[in-house]
Amino acid sequence: MGAGVVIGADGVHSVVRGAVADPAPPEYSGICAFRTLGPAASAPDFALRPAHTL
């Protein structure tokens, strides 16, 4: 099996990271993300778009 792109979003102990890079302990990057759930009616317009590009 092969892939042109692999996205690993499985956390600090990522199985994907270990499969595509040399094994190494996780290293803190200084970046933090906060997530929450809320009613869509309270979300700003930009957050209601059907797709987002990063």
Side-chain angles (χ1 to χ4, degrees), residues 1-19:
M1 183 185 315
V5 175
V6 177
I7 299 172
D10 52 344
V12 69
H13 301 290
S14 174
V15 173
V16 173
R17 182 175 59 92

Side-chain angles (χ1 to χ4, degrees), residues 1-3 15 19-21 24 26 28-29 31 33 38-39 41 43-44 47-49:
M1 183 185 315
V15 173
V20 299
Y28 181 61
S29 67
I31 298 172
L48 299 175
R49 294 183 298 184

